[in-house]
Amino acid sequence: MINILLVCSAGMSTSLMVKKMNAIATEKGIDAHIWAVANADAANEIGKADIILLGPQVRFLENKMIEISEGKPVQVINMQAYGTMNGEKVLEQALQLLNKN
């Protein structure tokens, strides 16, 4: 199972992205647990994640998340994919990043 944590400012738009990513993962037979949290709760969730993706609106937190990520990959979600709520592209981004590390 792949555990993908999405971090954003309040968790609202990212929750929609989670639904879209989960639908694509199910469709493609990918065993994934994908969830979203507000940046204030991220430190409590990082231990459960294999990869951490940040919403573009919290890209300023990237260095902080890298510091607390326990060596796990951290990346800002592609802005175009996020803006269009393209769950497939964001899932692909996560999988590619995970395979690089």
Side-chain angles (χ1 to χ4, degrees):
M1 172 168 300
I2 302 165
N3 297 295
I4 304 170
L5 173 63
L6 277 60
V7 178
C8 68
S9 55
M12 295 177 69
S13 57
T14 314
S15 294
L16 179 57
M17 180 61 73
V18 166
K19 288 180 185 177
K20 293 188 177 263
M21 291 173 71
N22 274 319
I24 295 296
T26 299
E27 182 181 302
K28 293 187 173 207
I30 298 168
D31 188 16
H33 173 62
I34 306 166
W35 75 108
V37 298
N39 63 32
D41 298 322
N44 298 326
E45 297 291 320
I46 283 179
K48 303 172 194 171
D50 297 317
I51 184 167
I52 299 98
L53 295 178
L54 306 177
Q57 69 274 33
V58 293
R59 68 179 333 113
F60 63 92
L61 293 173
E62 186 173 18
N63 288 334
K64 177 186 174 189
M65 291 298 143
I66 289 169
E67 287 176 16
I68 66 171
S69 71
E70 303 169 3
K72 297 171 184 176
V74 175
Q75 193 171 72
V76 177
I77 296 171
N78 174 284
M79 191 177 297
Q80 184 177 4
Y82 190 85
T84 58
M85 285 289 135
N86 189 329
E88 184 170 14
K89 283 204 182 269
V90 177
L91 182 59
E92 286 174 9
Q93 179 183 352
L95 295 174
Q96 287 175 359
L97 183 60
L98 195 57
N99 287 334
K100 288 180 185 176
N101 287 292

